[in-house]
Amino acid sequence: MAESVERLQQRVQELERELAQERSRRVLGGGDGVGCRTRIEKMSPEVVDSNPYSRLMALKRMGIVNDYELLLFDYDKVELANMNRLFFQPHQAGLSKVQAAEHTLRNINPDVLFEIHNYNITTVENFQHFMDRISNGGLEEGKPVDLVLSCVDNFEARMTINTACNELGQIWMESGVSENAVSGHIQLIIPGESACFACAPPLVVAANIDEKTLKREGVCAASLPTTMGVVAGILVQNVLKFLLNFGTVSFYLGYNAMQDFFPTMSMKPNPQCDDRNCRKQQEEYKKKVAALPKQEVVQEEEKIIHEDNEWGIELVSEVSEEELKNSSGPVPNLPEGITVAYTIPKKQEDSVTEVTVEDSGESLEDLMAKMKNM
């Protein structure tokens, strides 16, 4: 009986996968599903309602090509526990996350090219293939990808991505949410120029602690879709600014949901980083900077505003030269390069005019009597 139930569950999962694949094929093949359409092979710059990207044609003017591709790596499967924070749907339970993600994203936008890999990048047998796809899996085969995004939930995977990108000199962005689900961060890592993940590692990594020993049986990390949504939005915004070359790209931007605090900083690489490829990238970056032509600093003379203009405007001081001179004091002897903002004038001693009274010879009583009679 138990075996029959297990077989029935497997059959249900197979049917759900077939249903998801059929929905994906309908979108790609132009089936009769609601809102589905065929993939647009070539975009038109014409601004019309029938062009779903007419409002994004500015990207084309900025040098962005029509096609773009996403390479997805993950070895996990979709579970019902993922429904509260990710875009997976209940009928996708049991599918690999990369397969389910591809189906969902194709339904949203069939114009994106996908390459999915359902394996663990941290294993020795998969690491070399992972590096190969980074260095050769660009839109033009044989060229590296433009950017690597790390959206993983463990330090082992982060260190694996860090190791690969340091060896290849590949720019990548790291992101994460804390275990209490009320804070997160994003970080842009340019090998040799900014700190890599190993330059200032978390305590778990620095102390070489096995993450698996920290997890308690039956207890999982907190999960807030709002925090994850905020961090994901910040990450995507930073990606757009980096790829399209506009605005200020953040090297590190944090998010504290309790105080609505967004700290930002930039971190220089650690010369004693444990990753030898990071140290190698630092040396190469120094050579690039040294080879750049030095820019001479030219000090421009301060221009006097309104000295001569067609409207006849003239700036007149309300203080005369004499008043300015009287309000200034002596300039003290100071070392070269140091000046005073103002000087204190010397204090003028108040001169008191002495008044003398002639002695009349009258007594005090006589004078008081005169005053009473007045």
Side-chain angles (χ1 to χ4, degrees), residues 260-286:
D260 287 338
F261 179 52
F262 294 84
T264 182
M265 67 183 79
S266 60
M267 295 184 289
K268 297 296 182 183
N270 180 5
Q272 284 81 40
C273 180
D274 292 336
D275 192 317
R276 62 183 181 85
N277 285 310
C278 176
R279 299 194 302 270
K280 180 181 177 182
Q281 294 290 347
Q282 291 181 46
E283 294 301 321
E284 292 183 0
Y285 176 71
K286 290 178 182 177

Side-chain angles (χ1 to χ4, degrees), residues 115-159:
E115 181 181 311
I116 61 174
H117 299 280
N118 182 27
Y119 61 67
N120 186 352
I121 65 172
T122 65
T123 61
V124 177
E125 57 269 20
N126 293 328
F127 178 71
Q128 191 59 45
H129 183 266
F130 173 62
M131 285 187 56
D132 178 71
R133 296 318 299 149
I134 292 177
S135 56
N136 298 296
L139 190 60
E140 184 179 346
E141 188 61 30
K143 296 294 183 66
V145 298
D146 295 308
L147 188 65
V148 173
L149 301 183
S150 168
C151 308
V152 298
D153 60 357
N154 62 85
F155 294 125
E156 185 181 13
R158 287 185 176 93
M159 289 300 293

Side-chain angles (χ1 to χ4, degrees), residues 304-316:
I304 301 175
I305 303 176
H306 297 314
E307 184 179 32
D308 185 15
N309 55 77
E310 58 182 309
W311 300 284
I313 299 175
E314 183 181 358
L315 297 180
V316 180

Side-chain angles (χ1 to χ4, degrees), residues 3-4 19 64 98 115 118 122 131 147 152 155 176 191 195 202 227 262 271 298 300 331 356 359:
E3 184 178 356
S4 299
L19 178 61
I64 305 301
V98 289
E115 181 181 311
N118 182 27
T122 65
M131 285 187 56
L147 188 65
V152 298
F155 294 125
T227 305
F262 294 84
V298 179
E300 296 183 358
V331 179
T356 57
D359 187 5

Side-chain angles (χ1 to χ4, degrees), residues 9 29 48 68 141 147 243 248 282 300 336 343:
Q9 290 176 341
V48 291
Y68 47 102
E141 188 61 30
L147 188 65
L243 292 178
T248 300
Q282 291 181 46
E300 296 183 358
E336 185 178 354
T343 56

Side-chain angles (χ1 to χ4, degrees), residues 68-73 105 112-116 137 139 149:
Y68 47 102
E69 184 176 6
L70 292 177
L71 281 68
L72 305 178
F73 296 84
L105 293 172
V112 180
L113 300 175
F114 290 93
E115 181 181 311
I116 61 174
L139 190 60
L149 301 183

Side-chain angles (χ1 to χ4, degrees), residues 366-374:
D366 294 337
L367 293 172
M368 291 181 66
K370 287 183 177 181
M371 291 178 65
K372 288 179 180 181
N373 292 332
M374 291 178 65

